[in-house]
Amino acid sequence: MGPQLSAAALATLERLARDLAVEAGRLVIERPHGLGVAATKSSETDVVTVMDQRSEQLLRDRLAAERPDDAILGEEGDSVPGTSGITWVLDPIDGTVNYLYDIPQYAVSVAACVGDPTTPGAWETVAGAVYHPSLGELFHAHRGSGAFLRTDSGDVEALSVSGETALGRSLVGTGFGYAADVRRRQGEIVARVLPQVRDIRRAGSAAIDLCWVAAGRLDAYYESGLNPWDLAAGALVLTEAGGALRGPGGEPAQTRLTVAGPQALVDQLAPLVDTP
Ligand code: IPD
């Protein structure tokens, strides 16, 4: 799928993803007071903040300068076509509602992908980074590299998913969409999952959830309704940390369903949450 990329080219893409995620993360955490909602999207609770827009603009400007031949798919702006076969998939603030409420669980997600990120199963992330500015934690990987957590103080740790094998002992992350009818269905599914797991966490950023599964801070995660920008970088960090990802009916992870975790837990969780 997509262009042939050497190990050096993958490492270069990852380095840029890391630099961009950190730069944008530092911008959003230092927001001037009084900056709030700029617009609403799919519902009145699906918001875009002024800082989402500023963060995405920074990412787009840097990419236009450094990688003018690459395409861009961002959460908050029009797609930019490219000729290189690489598409940058950007979430300028994942966890926007947390950000709006000053809850520190939000991140900037930057991923370099090959294939068409708008078609399920037709794309793959080859390098990516998720920066959680409140904790100063950068999760990053490129294809075949393993996944790593680098802190602002310079510590680097290789990541691997939890060794848990029983769903009943598992701490499971999930999330909910913005549309009322989607949330009603998600409520029914979570009611089915809750009695069968240790507990549920809804922390509010899918990108961080996926990285936390990669780090073993959550045993597993599932959600329906994710967009490519929510999952592109976190999915690579997760698989490079030894995790498995599954979508509906065993297809690749996609908007309809993403289930993530060690293979044994994905095998147990997927049948519970994979409903038409
Ligand atoms: C949202 C977060 C949330 C998830 C939603 C996403 P946003 O992204 O990742 O955890 O449950 O499905 O839309 O709107 O904060 O970029």
Side-chain angles (χ1 to χ4, degrees):
M1 190 187 294
Q4 288 294 106
L5 294 163
S6 65
L10 292 171
T12 301
L13 291 170
E14 187 201 311
R15 160 69 63 180
L16 182 57
R18 281 159 48 180
D19 289 349
L20 294 180
V22 170
E23 188 179 354
R26 294 199 172 133
L27 174 84
V28 300
I29 202 171
E30 284 160 16
R31 85 174 119 181
H33 282 296
L35 285 187
V37 174
T40 57
K41 298 188 284 183
S42 61
S43 79
E44 64 179 353
T45 54
D46 182 7
V47 299
V48 46
T49 68
V50 175
M51 293 308 287
D52 280 280
Q53 295 172 330
R54 290 191 185 173
S55 172
E56 184 153 327
Q57 196 55 53
L58 179 151
L59 296 171
R60 284 171 180 265
D61 290 349
R62 294 286 186 272
L63 286 167
E66 302 250 350
R67 307 272 316 180
D69 298 335
D70 295 353
I72 299 177
L73 174 68
E75 181 172 13
E76 314 299 354
D78 294 337
S79 297
V80 174
T83 53
S84 66
I86 303 285
T87 300
W88 291 88
V89 178
L90 310 172
D91 196 334
I93 302 179
D94 186 58
T96 303
V97 174
N98 283 344
Y99 185 73
L100 190 63
Y101 281 77
D102 261 335
I103 296 171
Q105 193 77 344
Y106 57 85
V108 178
S109 174
V110 178
C113 303
V114 295
D116 173 7
T118 61
T119 304
W123 60 288
E124 182 194 349
T125 306
V126 294
V130 174
Y131 183 56
H132 187 173
S134 317
L135 294 182
E137 291 188 334
L138 176 66
F139 298 88
H140 58 92
H142 64 259
R143 189 172 58 193
S145 70
F148 297 89
L149 165 57
R150 179 179 301 259
T151 66
D152 279 355
S153 47
D155 298 327
V156 181
E157 182 191 323
L159 300 177
S160 62
V161 291
S162 147
E164 184 55 70
T165 55
L167 189 61
R169 288 193 300 264
S170 294
L171 186 60
V172 176
T174 191
F176 306 115
Y178 291 107
D181 56 327
V182 174
R183 297 169 74 89
R184 194 169 299 112
R185 210 162 29 80
Q186 289 172 324
E188 289 161 14
I189 292 171
V190 83
R192 215 163 39 232
V193 173
L194 200 45
Q196 309 216 37
V197 298
R198 180 189 295 275
D199 207 349
I200 290 283
R201 292 289 179 271
R202 194 289 193 250
S205 162
I208 297 175
D209 290 337
L210 287 163
C211 292
W212 281 21
V213 177
R217 296 175 183 174
L218 291 169
D219 294 305
Y221 166 81
Y222 76 94
E223 183 163 350
S224 54
L226 292 183
N227 291 296
W229 45 81
D230 298 316
L231 70 92
L236 180 68
V237 172
L238 175 101
T239 53
E240 287 296 323
L245 270 179
R246 193 181 298 170
E251 289 174 21
Q254 56 187 267
T255 299
R256 257 178 62 209
L257 181 66
T258 296
V259 186
Q263 185 70 58
L265 297 182
V266 169
D267 290 344
Q268 294 164 72
L269 185 56
L272 277 180
V273 300
D274 190 357
T275 55

